[in-house]
Amino acid sequence: MASYFFAQPVDVEIRLEGEENRKQVEVKLEKDRKEAYPVYYDGEPVTGQVRATFTFVVWYCGLHR
């Protein structure tokens, strides 16, 4: 449970093989913003890459004697 309080921010990027050749569906995200996502059906094999970039926060207070 303590790991939730000290978690670092993370950016996740998912790239699926052949997604540019698939049927696309537009999804409304915010007021006027929309994004297109590929459609996959149940039981279809999905391959690709996932990249997780962790952003570490480093605090430096100088040297103390």
Side-chain angles (χ1 to χ4, degrees), residues 33-65:
R33 200 174 122 197
K34 294 181 181 179
E35 284 193 21
Y37 295 105
V39 176
Y40 288 88
Y41 296 101
D42 185 33
E44 258 186 291
V46 178
T47 57
Q49 296 178 344
V50 176
R51 179 181 298 172
T53 306
F54 297 92
T55 308
F56 294 101
V57 178
V58 178
W59 293 91
Y60 177 70
C61 298
L63 298 174
H64 299 279
R65 287 186 187 216

Side-chain angles (χ1 to χ4, degrees), residues 12-29:
V12 178
E13 179 184 351
I14 301 172
R15 297 312 244 160
L16 301 174
E17 290 181 14
E19 68 179 311
E20 61 278 345
N21 301 328
R22 301 190 72 81
K23 177 182 173 184
Q24 301 283 315
V25 174
E26 280 193 357
V27 177
K28 185 177 179 182
L29 299 177

